[in-house]
Amino acid sequence: MDTVTTLVLGFISIVVVNNLVLTKFLGICPYLGVSGRIDMAFGMGLAVTFVVTLSGTLTWLIDHLILMGTPFEVTRYVCFIMVIAGAVQLVEMYLRKFFPSLYDSFGIFLPLITTNCAILGLCLFINLWGIDNLAEAVVLSFGAGIGFTMAICIMAGIRENLNLANVPENLQGAPITLITAGLLSLAFMGFAGMIR
Amino acid sequence: MANELELSGNQYKDTFLAGLWRENPVFRLLLGMCPTLAVTTALKPALTMGYSVIFVLLCSNIVVSLMRNLLKPHLRILMFTLTIATFVTIVDIFLKAFQPEMSAMLGPYVPLIIVNCIIICRAEVCASKNGLGVSIIDALGMGIGFTLALSVLGAIREIFSTGKIFEIQIMPDWFVPCAAMAMPAGAFITLGMLLGLVNLISKRKS
């Protein structure tokens, strides 16, 4: 029972309280780049969720079964980035084969998931927080993906309406998006301190 | 011959200056947003981040430029990230050893330099196509441009959130520090406003 509570709390905390995009600034590039339309934002969110779950789990396993306590610990970052690049390659091949239209609409952003800070960031945070059981690592990685999807979808919804608003000329595009993100993160600050 | 030399001198100068303003990585290309927002709570971490990035950018541009003829197209992003990861590990260990305080403060944002889009972008756009000289100048220009942008943002946020800069009180007594500026919301809004300002200035210029 105790483990289940920890897992549920961990999940909620990573989705809303410690949301990677709005409180840790991870994954801002796709957040600004792909959040123009809500369907694309959702697709991107799902792709990131898949990659982050896979790589979060794999990096935890590699870290704990192979690297920890050996001199090879210095190669941690290199190993992490290899795993992530491999997982992205997998998603890319899968999408190209089964969802060609979605694959085309992603364009350059798909290979760029490799360099999405949210994914490497999560792997590093799992290492930093000293998560020492596999189930928790899996739940946290999955929750991080869901949190990212949620943030990017909310943003896409706001931006679709922003197109109709009268924004000062110099603030159009990226500046107003950042200011919107600021207000959004102000709203999410309300969750701070709820857990941990 | 002399003419040619002069031309290449100009080209170097042009490449260097491009990074500072015309193609400033933060204000113009919108690259490297996560460290920009995360470490600029004050000026000092912003500067530390800035010179770490200059070092990594310089080394990775040199290595990528040297191995540009050996790269296979479909593997190049992987090669770039592995090269960068190696140098970031060096910076991380260096900071841990000589500036443990700063290292603890920056936390995971030091290893996150690996996925800083600026470095991969410069490897792809510049170093994998140009010789050693241009790559080095480009890395310096871009790195300094990035550091400048970070420092501006860090200074603004530090002044408004504490009224101090480098521990020296500069705001008058009646100034009420605004804690929200040190929080994520302040980071997003300050950067948004600065981008708007940059748009305004460049429109006036042209």
Side-chain angles (χ1 to χ4, degrees):
Chain A
M1 194 59 209
D2 206 29
T3 9
V4 177
T5 324
T6 324
L7 291 184
V8 172
L9 281 183
F11 183 77
I12 295 174
S13 116
I14 196 97
V15 174
V16 291
V17 185
N18 292 322
N19 188 296
L20 287 184
V21 179
L22 296 169
T23 66
K24 300 274 190 289
F25 308 108
L26 299 172
I28 298 286
C29 298
Y31 184 63
L32 298 178
V34 205
S35 61
R37 273 174 38 216
I38 210 161
D39 51 339
M40 262 183 81
F42 189 65
M44 184 70 178
L46 288 189
V48 169
T49 307
F50 180 76
V51 176
V52 85
T53 313
L54 197 63
S55 48
T57 313
L58 283 177
T59 48
W60 187 90
L61 284 173
I62 290 177
D63 210 15
H64 281 253
L65 296 182
I66 304 174
L67 292 180
M68 277 200 174
T70 66
F72 297 111
E73 239 173 290
V74 289
T75 63
R76 181 178 286 138
Y77 305 149
V78 181
C79 292
F80 281 14
I81 203 77
M82 285 280 271
V83 170
I84 295 169
V88 171
Q89 202 74 41
L90 211 65
V91 173
E92 202 179 331
M93 287 182 333
Y94 178 78
L95 279 183
R96 192 163 49 196
K97 184 116 189 353
F98 294 102
F99 303 97
S101 61
L102 196 62
Y103 176 80
D104 288 336
S105 61
F106 276 147
I108 183 69
F109 284 105
L110 200 58
L112 279 184
I113 296 181
T114 311
T115 59
N116 185 330
C117 338
I119 296 170
L120 183 64
L122 180 90
C123 302
L124 293 167
F125 272 117
I126 286 184
N127 178 274
L128 193 75
W129 289 332
I131 304 297
D132 54 5
N133 77 54
L134 181 60
E136 213 178 335
V138 176
V139 167
L140 278 183
S141 335
F142 181 64
I146 298 292
F148 179 82
T149 312
M150 191 182 67
I152 201 171
C153 284
I154 294 177
M155 195 63 194
I158 297 178
R159 278 182 74 176
E160 279 185 353
N161 284 308
L162 212 56
N163 286 337
L164 307 172
N166 187 11
V167 178
E169 196 189 340
N170 288 316
L171 288 181
Q172 271 166 17
I176 194 71
T177 312
L178 279 167
I179 294 173
T180 316
L183 297 178
L184 206 57
S185 113
L186 208 57
F188 269 76
M189 260 164 64
F191 292 110
M194 201 166 78
I195 304 168
R196 277 181 208 183
Chain B
M1 189 65 196
N3 207 0
E4 209 172 51
L5 268 179
E6 205 178 324
L7 193 74
S8 71
N10 266 338
Q11 195 194 346
Y12 282 141
K13 199 177 144 207
D14 203 48
T15 318
F16 182 72
L17 288 179
L20 295 188
W21 173 258
R22 205 178 66 241
E23 287 180 26
N24 185 295
V26 176
F27 292 144
R28 285 310 179 76
L29 306 180
L30 296 183
L31 291 175
M33 283 289 140
C34 33
T36 308
L37 293 164
V39 304
T40 52
T41 47
L43 190 53
K44 208 168 167 227
L47 281 176
T48 315
M49 185 49 129
Y51 67 68
S52 311
V53 168
I54 293 180
F55 171 77
V56 176
L57 190 54
L58 191 59
C59 296
S60 74
N61 256 13
I62 291 173
V63 173
V64 169
S65 172
L66 288 177
M67 70 180 185
R68 68 183 187 278
N69 295 324
L70 305 169
L71 289 173
K72 298 269 181 294
H74 60 286
L75 283 179
R76 67 178 195 284
I77 299 277
L78 186 65
M79 288 314 293
F80 295 162
T81 39
L82 288 181
T83 313
I84 298 165
T86 314
F87 289 114
V88 170
T89 310
I90 296 172
V91 169
D92 190 44
I93 294 172
F94 184 86
L95 280 182
K96 263 184 198 144
F98 293 101
Q99 292 188 313
E101 231 173 86
M102 240 336 127
S103 169
M105 193 167 166
L106 291 176
Y109 295 103
V110 177
L112 278 174
I113 297 176
I114 300 172
V115 287
N116 189 326
C117 326
I118 295 173
I119 300 175
I120 297 172
C121 168
R122 288 339 285 177
E124 166 84 24
V125 174
C126 183
S128 63
K129 297 190 179 76
N130 289 304
L132 199 56
V134 177
S135 303
I136 292 177
I137 298 291
D138 178 77
L140 286 176
M142 281 287 160
I144 294 172
F146 179 72
T147 311
L148 272 181
L150 241 65
S151 316
V152 171
L153 203 58
I156 293 178
R157 286 181 68 195
E158 188 170 6
I159 290 173
F160 281 104
S161 66
T162 60
K164 295 174 195 165
I165 204 154
F166 278 133
E167 305 292 308
I168 302 164
Q169 187 80 30
I170 56 160
M171 289 304 252
D173 288 337
W174 48 262
F175 176 75
V176 182
C178 170
M181 287 299 275
M183 288 175 179
F188 281 117
I189 293 173
T190 317
L191 186 60
M193 293 293 182
L194 273 179
L195 286 182
L197 194 67
V198 168
N199 281 348
L200 185 73
I201 294 172
S202 58
K203 220 166 268 169
R204 283 273 164 81
K205 259 185 158 178
S206 61

